């Protein structure tokens, strides 16, 4: 029997056993420690990157004792911070307009003596009411829809525009924040008082007063008036008198250098000036809502049209040759409806219902020039869903570039006046009959589509929910002023 082993012998035996790979408790080598540390390190990195919360990750990322040197290398922040509050975009950004609160002598005071505005017509009292839209019309024997129709004069756009601007959704009292400045001057009313006056100083007195008032304003000095716009309410030629002779027509409002810095919105513009552009003449229709517009569009779309073409008007001295030929051809055609506004029949042409009845019953409506190159009847025609026939590009194509499509053939017909009145003696009837029926339907649909943007909404309505002629004009002004502020040349009219 062997004696018991000593402690030294026992320790030596254990060491030999480990070396031999025998049983018993194994102590890990330095390589094992490195593997474990590496695993923990990469686990922490992956957990931090993926934002895993709770469980083991929470325990590792929120130690209860002093931070480990390894963990001090990381910043433990909330991986899902509260979202920043969303600030809604300002719908009026770049669209704010500052409107002058002008002395009443420049606008409202002119309406007080409404009889004096055009005394040779029996005054203008029935036309200046309802924000310049005039007195309400009835259904005119079923010609008009139930509401939205007024006895509107073609030369009162200044009042109508002012009424629409009062309800413009982006008005501001801070001129420094405004993209443009509106001047509510009733130029048509001022001119109407003295249009036949023989004293030039009397005709120009209020216009000169206006220029002096504006140029003294701090708002004017910001851009020298180049951000200002106004609506004189008549054609450009009514405000471009060249001389002070007693016989010469109109005022010289648009000839003042200060006014030439402004943008003038007129029913007919000058091709020789870039500070003005043309917008549609006011019609009799002033819808309050998009539903009113849609109802009228459905009505004219379904209208019976027994006449191929029609003409409502009379001869004109000085430019009556083409009208005389139009009247002659219309009388000779069984497919033309002539509403001759001459002599005893002229009074009927002042009836909105009678004129619209002619247009609503025709496929095409002839639109020669009026006293000037343009004519209010063009927009009455569109309103009736009748395809306009022009005899000169200047009657529409060169004027209403903001409101009418650039593809002129999509909504209208051009028969050159020189072809009708000249030796070619072109037949209007044959020209129109040659257009295929499917093309006629397409053109009429385009005309009907144009209705919203060539009418002016009810000036009293706070529910206007469609884009009308006013909106198109305002957008053009804002674009022009923005170009000027950037130092770019003015866009074409």
């Amino acid at each position: 029997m062997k004696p018991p082993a000593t402690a030294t012998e026992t320790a030596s035996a254990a060491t030999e056993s480990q070396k031999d790979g025998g049983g018993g408790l194994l102590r890990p080598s330095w390589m094992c420690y490195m593997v474990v540390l590496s695993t923990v390190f990469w686990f922490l990195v992956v957990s931090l990157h993926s934002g895993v919360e709770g469980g083991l990750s929470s325990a590792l990322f929120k130690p209860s004792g002093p931070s480990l040197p390894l963990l001090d290398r990381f910043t433990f922040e909330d991986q899902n911070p509260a979202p920043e509050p969303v600030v809604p975009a300002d719908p009026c950004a770049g669209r704010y307009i500052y409107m002058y609160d002008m002395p009443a002598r420049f606008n409202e005071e002119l309406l007080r003596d409404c009889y004096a505005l055009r005394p040779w017509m029996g005054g203008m009292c029935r036309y200046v009411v309802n924000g310049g839209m005039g007195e309400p019309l009835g259904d005119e024997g079923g010609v008009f829809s139930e509401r939205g129709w007024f006895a509107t004069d073609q030369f009162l756009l200044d009042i109508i525009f002012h009424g629409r601007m009062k309800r413009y959704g982006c008005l501001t009292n801070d001129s420094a924040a405004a993209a443009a400045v509106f001047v509510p001057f009733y130029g048509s009313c001022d001119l109407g008082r003295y249009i036949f006056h023989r004293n030039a100083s009397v005709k120009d007195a209020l216009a000169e007063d206006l220029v002096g008032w504006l140029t003294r304003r701090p708002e004017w000095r910001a851009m020298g008036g180049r951000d200002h716009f106004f609506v004189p309410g008549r054609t450009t030629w009514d405000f471009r008198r060249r001389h002070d002779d007693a016989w010469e027509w109109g005022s010289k409002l648009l000839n003042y250098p200060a006014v030439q810095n402004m943008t003038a919105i007129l029913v007919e513009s000058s091709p020789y000036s870039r500070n003005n552009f043309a917008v549609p003449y006011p019609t009799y229709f002033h819808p309050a809502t998009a539903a009113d517009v849609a109802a009228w569009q459905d009505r004219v779309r379904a209208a019976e049209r027994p006449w191929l073409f029609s003409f409502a008007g009379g001869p004109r001295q000085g430019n009556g040759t083409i009208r005389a030929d139009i009247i002659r051809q219309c009388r000779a055609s069984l497919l033309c409806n002539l509403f001759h506004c001459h002599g005893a029949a002229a009074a009927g042409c002042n009836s909105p219902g009678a004129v619209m009845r002619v247009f609503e019953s025709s496929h095409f409506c002839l639109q020669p020039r009026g006293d000037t190159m343009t004519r209010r009847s063009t927009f009455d025609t569109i309103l009736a869903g009748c395809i306009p026939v022009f005899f000169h590009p200047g009657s529409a194509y060169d004027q209403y570039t903001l409101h009418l499509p650039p593809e002129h053939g999509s909504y209208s017909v051009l028969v050159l006046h020189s072809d009708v009145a000249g030796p070619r003696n072109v037949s209007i009837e044959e020209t129109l009959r040659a257009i295929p029926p499917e093309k006629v339907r397409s053109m009429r649909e385009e005309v009907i589509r144009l209705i919203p943007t060539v009418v002016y909404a009810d000036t009293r309505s706070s529910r206007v929910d469609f884009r009308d002629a006013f909106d198109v004009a305002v957008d053009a002004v804002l674009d022009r002023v923005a170009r000027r502020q950037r130092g770019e040349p003015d866009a074409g009219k």
Side-chain angles (χ1 to χ4, degrees):
M1 183 175 196
K2 294 179 66 177
T6 66
T8 302
E9 292 175 334
T10 302
S12 177
T15 301
E16 291 298 319
S17 176
Q18 289 178 9
K19 290 181 180 180
D20 296 339
L25 179 63
L26 296 178
R27 294 185 180 181
S29 68
W30 66 270
M31 183 65 69
C32 294
Y33 283 111
M34 293 301 298
V35 171
V36 172
L37 286 175
S38 176
T39 302
V40 172
F41 171 80
W42 287 111
F43 177 79
L44 292 175
V45 171
V46 173
S47 299
L48 176 62
H49 180 70
S50 60
V52 177
E53 296 181 356
L56 179 59
S57 178
S58 298
L60 290 174
F61 285 14
K62 296 181 181 178
S64 58
S67 299
L68 296 174
L70 178 62
L71 299 182
D72 284 341
R73 300 179 186 179
F74 301 95
T75 301
F76 302 105
E77 298 177 349
D78 188 353
Q79 299 302 302
N80 292 290
E84 292 292 331
V86 178
V87 179
D90 183 1
C92 291
R95 301 184 55 79
Y96 283 108
I97 292 178
Y98 177 82
M99 180 170 64
Y100 280 121
D101 182 11
M102 304 184 72
R105 66 181 182 274
F106 293 120
N107 42 53
E108 301 293 346
E109 196 172 286
L110 294 169
L111 307 183
R112 293 175 186 172
D113 189 6
C114 52
Y115 176 80
L117 297 183
R118 285 188 220 163
W120 66 92
M121 290 180 55
M124 295 292 291
C125 297
R126 69 183 298 250
Y127 300 106
V128 301
V129 298
N130 293 317
M133 296 185 298
E135 295 178 345
L137 295 172
D139 65 359
E140 297 283 321
V143 177
F144 299 139
S145 49
E146 294 181 358
R147 62 183 185 182
W149 297 87
F150 299 83
T152 304
D153 183 83
Q154 63 179 333
F155 292 138
L156 290 182
L157 183 58
D158 40 8
I159 306 176
I160 293 172
F161 211 93
H162 188 197
R164 289 283 287 117
M165 186 60 72
K166 289 177 181 178
R167 296 183 180 275
Y168 178 66
C170 295
L171 287 180
T172 177
N173 292 324
D174 181 5
S175 62
V181 178
F182 177 58
V183 181
F185 172 59
Y186 293 174
S188 73
C189 299
D190 174 42
L191 183 62
R193 300 179 298 169
Y194 306 122
I195 199 165
F196 293 119
H197 204 286
R198 299 183 64 82
N199 189 323
S201 297
V202 172
K203 289 192 283 190
D204 298 330
L206 194 61
E208 291 184 1
D209 186 7
L210 173 71
V211 171
W213 186 88
L214 284 173
T215 53
R216 291 191 298 269
R217 301 286 300 187
E219 297 87 355
W220 179 274
R221 291 194 292 270
M223 287 187 64
R226 298 176 72 248
D227 57 348
H228 284 48
F229 70 104
F230 73 131
V231 185
R234 296 177 65 101
T235 74
T236 190
W237 315 114
D238 292 324
F239 304 104
R240 295 186 182 275
R241 197 187 74 244
R242 296 183 179 180
H243 309 289
D244 289 341
D245 298 325
W247 56 266
E248 194 165 351
W249 178 270
S251 78
K252 54 184 180 183
L253 171 66
L254 296 181
N255 292 339
Y256 293 104
V259 175
Q260 291 178 6
N261 283 353
M262 302 165 63
T263 296
I265 299 175
L266 305 129
V267 293
E268 180 175 331
S269 64
S270 168
Y272 312 111
S273 175
R274 299 187 70 85
N275 78 321
N276 65 170
F277 59 80
V279 297
Y281 286 82
T283 65
Y284 303 115
F285 190 38
H286 302 281
T289 66
D292 295 338
V293 177
W296 178 253
Q297 288 174 307
D298 290 342
R299 179 176 179 137
V300 295
R301 186 178 287 114
E304 294 290 332
R305 301 182 185 270
W307 300 99
L308 176 64
F309 63 111
S310 64
F311 175 63
R316 286 288 188 274
Q317 293 182 353
N319 63 343
T321 302
I322 183 65
R323 286 201 176 203
D325 284 282
I326 287 173
I327 292 171
R328 174 180 55 80
Q329 287 202 28
C330 192
R331 280 178 170 162
S333 173
L334 296 177
L335 302 179
C336 182
N337 183 14
L338 176 63
F339 192 19
H340 195 193
C341 302
H342 184 65
C349 290
N350 293 326
S351 167
V355 173
M356 288 295 290
R357 186 176 291 107
V358 172
F359 294 160
E360 288 179 30
S361 63
S362 308
H363 290 284
F364 297 93
C365 294
L366 309 185
Q367 295 297 334
R369 58 176 290 173
D371 292 321
T372 59
M373 190 62 70
T374 62
R375 195 174 182 224
R376 175 229 179 102
S377 181
T378 293
F379 299 99
D380 291 333
T381 289
I382 293 174
L383 186 57
C386 188
I387 302 166
V389 179
F390 300 115
F391 298 87
H392 193 289
S395 291
Y397 304 154
D398 298 338
Q399 288 285 334
Y400 308 106
T401 57
L402 300 173
H403 294 78
L404 299 180
E407 301 82 12
H408 306 140
S410 67
Y411 73 96
S412 66
V413 177
L414 177 63
V415 182
L416 291 177
H417 66 288
S418 55
D419 289 342
V420 175
R424 292 188 62 193
N425 193 27
V426 168
S427 169
I428 299 172
E429 177 184 324
E430 290 179 4
T431 300
L432 299 179
R433 288 181 64 182
I435 302 175
E438 58 273 17
K439 175 63 174 176
V440 173
R441 285 191 292 269
S442 172
M443 295 169 73
R444 181 182 304 112
E445 191 58 36
E446 180 66 9
V447 167
I448 293 172
R449 186 190 66 81
L450 291 174
I451 290 176
T453 54
V454 300
V455 299
Y456 298 91
D458 192 323
T459 58
R460 307 161 305 173
S461 175
S462 58
R463 300 179 299 138
V464 177
D465 54 353
F466 67 97
R467 181 174 166 83
D468 71 341
F470 167 87
D471 294 314
V472 175
V474 167
D475 284 351
V477 169
L478 294 172
D479 179 68
R480 170 172 290 189
V481 174
R483 287 173 176 271
R484 289 177 166 179
Q485 290 174 332
R486 294 193 299 265
E488 300 175 8
D490 289 339
K493 290 189 287 295

